Amino acid sequence: MSVNGRNAGRPAALDEVSKKIIEQLQNDGRRSYAEIGKAVGLSEAAVRQRVQKLTDAGVMQVVAVTDPMQLGFYRQAMIGIRATGDTRLLADRLSAIPAVDYVVLTAGSFDLLVEVVCEDDDELIDLLNSQIRGLEGVSSTETFVYLKLHKQFYNWGTR
Amino acid sequence: MSVNGRNAGRPAALDEVSKKIIEQLQNDGRRSYAEIGKAVGLSEAAVRQRVQKLTDAGVMQVVAVTDPMQLGFYRQAMIGIRATGDTRLLADRLSAIPAVDYVVLTAGSFDLLVEVVCEDDDELIDLLNSQIRGLEGVSSTETFVYLKLHKQFYNWGTR
DNA sequence: AGTGAAACGACCGTAGA
DNA sequence: TCTACGGTCGTTTCACT
């Protein structure tokens, strides 16, 4: 927790032990606390407390991530959007679209970037025409169809 | 497994039970097999076998994902890259840079999109000048600095 | 914040339908 | 591919430092 009870300030840096715990869970999210404890030199209970705290603070979460291709979603794309009006409202509406799995407000020649996951080209075309380009505040879009997702890392922050 | 032992073809669609299991683990990657079994109407051992198979097949993996902001990485950006030569080689070199956490080959006005995670603007500037723009095959870049990561979903494929 | 101990529950291998 | 079961190991709670 932060010193003053708010979380407005910049979070305190993690110590080396917590970083090691996170690394262990980045390699395998189901590794037991006891095993992690052995690796980082802490008791099982201590590891569990730290994981709990890290999770509660939103520093990390243990989740299943899936491979869209393996699940029948053969078409992914990043869509750059130029917008008018409040981009936060637009981001909310974009987030509500099931095929949209990533929304970020940016500075540069796009105001938003959204990643979409589709079953095929037809769904992507429909998505663009019927769901995205029609949204209020979307002035133009540019689509970058994924040819190959080369590499994706989940070790943000610890590297 | 695929019928002929290779994984070249399109994977078979998952049945409803496996989808439910994945959903459970997307909500909480540490949920016990017994608990998941209760939710999907299967024994603990059956759930365990299916999770093992899904993991081995690369359909899903349970991992810790972290929030870069909470770990002191206050600057993220997407970089669009126009390239000459073999983009696969370039993608390999980009993947080797620690600050790069996402590399995708695209069709469109960029040949690659890479996401980077930096501590601050200085690191981002250095990354662009010293590590990315100097790579052989990079003809131009365009940087989209993240103002706010609005939403990120991990339920790719199941939606 | 950490340890240690005891009760409980989860996990894993194996056998069998 | 599933259930059933027993041994082992992990997790949880609590008292203590």
Side-chain angles (χ1 to χ4, degrees):
Chain A
M1 310 299 142
S2 52
V3 179
N4 53 10
R6 292 175 71 224
N7 245 346
R10 301 200 153 184
L14 297 187
D15 65 15
E16 288 308 310
V17 176
S18 287
K19 283 186 188 170
K20 280 186 192 172
I21 292 172
I22 292 173
E23 269 171 47
Q24 294 279 322
L25 290 170
Q26 282 171 337
N27 288 326
D28 177 6
R30 290 194 76 87
R31 195 161 288 169
S32 76
Y33 298 132
E35 202 180 343
I36 296 169
K38 272 180 241 164
V40 306
L42 229 56
S43 72
E44 177 275 330
V47 173
R48 189 155 36 84
Q49 278 173 234
R50 290 175 88 122
V51 169
Q52 187 68 53
K53 236 180 65 173
L54 290 167
T55 305
D56 290 346
V59 174
M60 57 150 244
Q61 60 184 124
V62 177
V63 292
V65 295
T66 55
D67 178 356
M69 291 290 271
Q70 296 266 4
L71 291 168
F73 295 87
Y74 298 106
R75 185 54 84 212
Q76 274 187 276
M78 187 72 75
I79 303 172
I81 298 178
R82 281 174 274 264
T84 56
D86 193 328
T87 51
R88 293 167 296 186
L89 285 177
L90 186 51
D92 280 336
R93 293 190 191 114
L94 288 162
S95 297
I97 300 171
V100 169
D101 71 351
Y102 193 72
V103 178
V104 56
L105 279 58
T106 56
S109 65
F110 298 122
D111 298 301
L112 300 110
L113 288 171
V114 314
E115 190 182 66
V116 297
V117 178
C118 301
E119 295 191 9
D120 51 31
D121 287 328
D122 286 338
E123 194 192 333
L124 177 57
I125 293 165
D126 187 67
L127 187 64
L128 280 162
N129 287 316
S130 306
Q131 301 195 255
I132 294 181
R133 304 191 52 142
L135 286 175
E136 195 184 318
V138 172
S139 56
S140 72
T141 65
E142 194 168 338
T143 303
F144 305 93
V145 169
Y146 286 13
L147 299 175
K148 185 177 173 59
L149 179 54
H150 191 265
K151 194 129 196 194
Q152 179 162 27
F153 303 95
Y154 298 108
N155 56 337
W156 301 320
T158 54
R159 312 220 285 224
Chain B
M1 310 297 142
S2 52
V3 180
N4 53 11
R6 292 176 71 225
N7 246 345
R10 302 199 150 183
L14 296 187
D15 65 16
E16 288 308 309
V17 176
S18 287
K19 283 186 188 170
K20 280 186 192 171
I21 291 173
I22 293 173
E23 270 171 46
Q24 293 280 322
L25 290 169
Q26 282 171 337
N27 289 326
D28 176 6
R30 289 194 76 85
R31 195 160 290 169
S32 77
Y33 297 133
E35 202 180 342
I36 296 168
K38 271 181 241 165
V40 306
L42 229 55
S43 71
E44 176 273 329
V47 173
R48 187 156 36 87
Q49 285 166 9
R50 289 174 90 118
V51 169
Q52 187 69 53
K53 235 181 66 174
L54 290 167
T55 305
D56 290 346
V59 175
M60 57 149 244
Q61 60 185 128
V62 177
V63 292
V65 295
T66 56
D67 177 358
M69 293 289 271
Q70 295 266 5
L71 291 167
F73 295 88
Y74 298 106
R75 185 55 83 213
Q76 273 186 278
M78 187 71 74
I79 303 173
I81 298 178
R82 281 174 274 264
T84 57
D86 194 328
T87 50
R88 292 166 297 185
L89 286 176
L90 186 51
D92 282 335
R93 293 190 191 113
L94 289 162
S95 297
I97 300 170
V100 170
D101 71 351
Y102 193 72
V103 178
V104 58
L105 277 60
T106 56
S109 65
F110 298 122
D111 298 301
L112 299 111
L113 288 171
V114 314
E115 191 183 65
V116 298
V117 178
C118 300
E119 295 191 10
D120 51 32
D121 287 329
D122 287 338
E123 195 193 333
L124 177 57
I125 293 165
D126 186 68
L127 187 65
L128 280 163
N129 287 317
S130 306
Q131 302 195 256
I132 293 181
R133 303 191 53 142
L135 287 176
E136 196 186 317
V138 173
S139 56
S140 73
T141 65
E142 192 168 339
T143 303
F144 305 94
V145 169
Y146 285 13
L147 300 174
K148 184 175 175 59
L149 180 55
H150 191 265
K151 193 129 196 194
Q152 178 162 27
F153 304 94
Y154 298 108
N155 58 337
W156 301 319
T158 54
R159 313 223 281 225

Coordinates of all heavy atoms in Angstrom, one line a residue, chain B residues 2-37:
Chain B
S2 N -3.8 -33.6 -33.4 CA -4.4 -33.6 -34.8 C -4.4 -35.1 -35.2 O -3.7 -35.9 -34.7 CB -3.6 -32.7 -35.7 OG -2.2 -33.0 -35.7
V3 N -5.2 -35.3 -36.2 CA -5.5 -36.7 -36.7 C -4.2 -37.4 -37.2 O -4.0 -38.5 -36.9 CB -6.5 -36.7 -37.8 CG1 -6.8 -38.1 -38.3 CG2 -7.8 -36.0 -37.3
N4 N -3.4 -36.6 -37.9 CA -2.3 -37.2 -38.6 C -0.9 -36.9 -37.9 O 0.1 -37.2 -38.4 CB -2.2 -36.7 -40.0 CG -2.2 -35.1 -40.1 OD1 -2.1 -34.5 -39.0 ND2 -2.4 -34.6 -41.2
G5 N -1.0 -36.4 -36.7 CA 0.2 -36.3 -35.9 C 0.9 -34.9 -36.1 O 1.7 -34.5 -35.3
R6 N 0.7 -34.3 -37.3 CA 1.2 -33.0 -37.5 C 0.2 -31.9 -37.0 O -0.9 -32.2 -36.8 CB 1.5 -32.7 -39.0 CG 2.5 -33.6 -39.6 CD 2.6 -33.3 -41.0 NE 3.2 -32.0 -41.3 CZ 2.7 -31.2 -42.2 NH1 1.6 -31.5 -42.9 NH2 3.2 -30.0 -42.5
N7 N 0.7 -30.7 -36.8 CA -0.2 -29.7 -36.4 C -0.4 -28.6 -37.5 O -0.7 -27.5 -37.2 CB 0.4 -29.0 -35.1 CG -0.5 -29.3 -34.0 OD1 -1.7 -29.7 -34.2 ND2 -0.1 -29.0 -32.8
A8 N -0.2 -29.1 -38.7 CA -0.2 -28.1 -39.8 C -1.6 -27.6 -40.1 O -1.8 -26.5 -40.4 CB 0.4 -28.8 -41.1
G9 N -2.6 -28.5 -40.0 CA -4.0 -28.1 -40.3 C -4.6 -27.2 -39.3 O -3.9 -26.9 -38.3
R10 N -5.8 -26.9 -39.5 CA -6.5 -26.0 -38.6 C -6.9 -26.9 -37.4 O -7.4 -28.0 -37.6 CB -7.7 -25.4 -39.2 CG -7.3 -24.5 -40.4 CD -8.4 -23.5 -40.8 NE -7.7 -22.4 -41.4 CZ -8.4 -21.3 -41.8 NH1 -9.6 -21.2 -41.7 NH2 -7.7 -20.3 -42.4
P11 N -6.7 -26.4 -36.2 CA -7.1 -27.2 -35.0 C -8.6 -27.5 -34.9 O -9.4 -26.6 -35.4 CB -6.6 -26.3 -33.9 CG -6.5 -25.0 -34.4 CD -6.2 -25.1 -35.9
A12 N -8.9 -28.6 -34.3 CA -10.3 -28.9 -34.1 C -10.9 -27.9 -33.1 O -10.2 -27.4 -32.2 CB -10.4 -30.3 -33.6
A13 N -12.1 -27.6 -33.3 CA -12.8 -26.6 -32.4 C -12.9 -27.3 -31.0 O -13.1 -28.5 -30.9 CB -14.2 -26.3 -33.0
L14 N -12.8 -26.5 -30.0 CA -12.9 -27.0 -28.7 C -14.4 -27.2 -28.3 O -15.3 -26.5 -28.8 CB -12.4 -25.9 -27.7 CG -10.9 -25.6 -27.8 CD1 -10.6 -24.6 -26.6 CD2 -10.1 -26.8 -27.8
D15 N -14.6 -28.2 -27.5 CA -16.0 -28.4 -27.0 C -16.3 -27.4 -25.9 O -15.5 -26.7 -25.4 CB -16.2 -29.9 -26.6 CG -15.4 -30.2 -25.4 OD1 -14.9 -29.3 -24.7 OD2 -15.2 -31.4 -25.1
E16 N -17.6 -27.4 -25.6 CA -18.1 -26.4 -24.6 C -17.4 -26.5 -23.3 O -17.2 -25.5 -22.6 CB -19.6 -26.5 -24.5 CG -20.4 -26.0 -25.7 CD -20.0 -24.6 -26.1 OE1 -19.9 -23.7 -25.2 OE2 -19.6 -24.4 -27.3
V17 N -17.1 -27.8 -22.9 CA -16.5 -28.0 -21.5 C -15.2 -27.3 -21.5 O -14.8 -26.6 -20.5 CB -16.5 -29.5 -21.2 CG1 -15.8 -29.7 -19.9 CG2 -17.9 -30.1 -21.1
S18 N -14.3 -27.6 -22.5 CA -13.0 -27.0 -22.5 C -13.1 -25.5 -22.5 O -12.3 -24.8 -21.9 CB -12.2 -27.5 -23.7 OG -11.8 -28.8 -23.5
K19 N -14.0 -24.9 -23.2 CA -14.2 -23.5 -23.3 C -14.5 -22.9 -21.9 O -14.0 -21.9 -21.4 CB -15.3 -23.1 -24.2 CG -14.9 -23.1 -25.7 CD -15.9 -22.6 -26.6 CE -15.5 -22.8 -28.1 NZ -16.7 -22.5 -29.0
K20 N -15.4 -23.7 -21.2 CA -15.7 -23.3 -19.8 C -14.5 -23.3 -18.9 O -14.3 -22.5 -18.0 CB -16.9 -24.1 -19.3 CG -18.2 -23.8 -19.8 CD -19.3 -24.6 -19.0 CE -20.7 -24.5 -19.7 NZ -21.6 -25.4 -19.1
I21 N -13.7 -24.4 -19.1 CA -12.5 -24.5 -18.2 C -11.6 -23.3 -18.5 O -11.1 -22.7 -17.5 CB -11.8 -25.8 -18.5 CG1 -12.6 -27.0 -18.0 CG2 -10.4 -25.9 -17.9 CD1 -12.1 -28.4 -18.4
I22 N -11.4 -23.0 -19.7 CA -10.5 -21.8 -20.1 C -11.1 -20.6 -19.5 O -10.3 -19.8 -18.9 CB -10.4 -21.7 -21.6 CG1 -9.6 -22.9 -22.2 CG2 -9.7 -20.4 -22.0 CD1 -9.5 -22.9 -23.7
E23 N -12.4 -20.4 -19.5 CA -13.0 -19.2 -19.0 C -12.7 -19.1 -17.5 O -12.4 -18.0 -16.9 CB -14.5 -19.2 -19.2 CG -15.0 -18.5 -20.4 CD -16.5 -18.8 -20.7 OE1 -17.3 -18.6 -19.8 OE2 -16.8 -19.1 -21.8
Q24 N -12.9 -20.2 -16.8 CA -12.6 -20.3 -15.3 C -11.1 -19.8 -15.1 O -10.9 -19.0 -14.2 CB -12.7 -21.7 -14.8 CG -14.2 -22.2 -14.8 CD -15.0 -21.7 -13.7 OE1 -14.5 -21.6 -12.6 NE2 -16.2 -21.4 -13.9
L25 N -10.2 -20.3 -15.9 CA -8.8 -19.9 -15.7 C -8.5 -18.5 -16.1 O -7.5 -17.9 -15.7 CB -7.9 -20.9 -16.3 CG -7.9 -22.3 -15.7 CD1 -7.2 -23.4 -16.6 CD2 -7.2 -22.3 -14.3
Q26 N -9.3 -18.0 -17.0 CA -9.1 -16.6 -17.4 C -9.5 -15.7 -16.3 O -9.0 -14.6 -16.1 CB -9.9 -16.3 -18.7 CG -9.2 -16.8 -20.0 CD -10.1 -16.7 -21.2 OE1 -11.3 -16.7 -21.1 NE2 -9.5 -16.7 -22.4
N27 N -10.5 -16.1 -15.5 CA -10.9 -15.3 -14.4 C -9.9 -15.4 -13.2 O -9.6 -14.4 -12.5 CB -12.3 -15.7 -13.9 CG -13.4 -15.3 -14.9 OD1 -13.3 -14.3 -15.5 ND2 -14.4 -16.1 -15.0
D28 N -9.4 -16.6 -13.0 CA -8.4 -16.8 -12.0 C -7.6 -18.0 -12.3 O -8.0 -19.1 -12.2 CB -9.1 -17.0 -10.6 CG -8.1 -17.3 -9.5 OD1 -6.9 -17.3 -9.7 OD2 -8.6 -17.6 -8.4
G29 N -6.3 -17.7 -12.7 CA -5.4 -18.8 -13.1 C -5.0 -19.8 -12.0 O -4.4 -20.8 -12.3
R30 N -5.3 -19.4 -10.8 CA -4.9 -20.3 -9.7 C -6.1 -21.1 -9.1 O -5.9 -21.8 -8.1 CB -4.2 -19.6 -8.6 CG -2.8 -19.1 -9.0 CD -1.9 -18.6 -7.9 NE -1.4 -19.7 -7.1 CZ -0.2 -20.4 -7.4 NH1 0.4 -20.1 -8.4 NH2 0.2 -21.3 -6.6
R31 N -7.2 -21.0 -9.7 CA -8.4 -21.7 -9.2 C -8.1 -23.2 -9.2 O -7.4 -23.7 -10.2 CB -9.6 -21.4 -10.1 CG -10.9 -21.9 -9.6 CD -12.0 -21.1 -10.3 NE -12.1 -19.7 -9.9 CZ -12.8 -18.8 -10.5 NH1 -13.6 -19.1 -11.5 NH2 -12.8 -17.6 -10.1
S32 N -8.5 -23.9 -8.2 CA -8.1 -25.4 -8.1 C -8.9 -26.2 -9.1 O -10.0 -25.8 -9.5 CB -8.4 -25.9 -6.7 OG -9.8 -26.1 -6.5
Y33 N -8.3 -27.3 -9.5 CA -9.0 -28.2 -10.5 C -10.3 -28.7 -10.0 O -11.3 -28.8 -10.7 CB -8.1 -29.4 -10.9 CG -6.8 -29.0 -11.5 CD1 -5.6 -29.5 -11.1 CD2 -6.7 -28.1 -12.6 CE1 -4.4 -29.1 -11.7 CE2 -5.6 -27.7 -13.2 CZ -4.4 -28.2 -12.7 OH -3.2 -27.9 -13.3
A34 N -10.3 -28.9 -8.6 CA -11.6 -29.4 -8.0 C -12.7 -28.4 -8.1 O -13.8 -28.8 -8.5 CB -11.3 -29.8 -6.6
E35 N -12.3 -27.2 -7.9 CA -13.3 -26.1 -8.0 C -13.8 -25.9 -9.4 O -15.0 -25.8 -9.6 CB -12.7 -24.8 -7.4 CG -13.7 -23.8 -7.0 CD -13.0 -22.5 -6.5 OE1 -11.8 -22.6 -6.2 OE2 -13.7 -21.5 -6.4
I36 N -12.9 -25.9 -10.3 CA -13.3 -25.8 -11.8 C -14.2 -27.0 -12.1 O -15.2 -26.8 -12.8 CB -12.0 -25.8 -12.7 CG1 -11.2 -24.6 -12.4 CG2 -12.4 -25.9 -14.1 CD1 -9.8 -24.6 -13.0
G37 N -13.8 -28.2 -11.6 CA -14.6 -29.4 -11.9 C -16.1 -29.2 -11.5 O -17.0 -29.6 -12.2

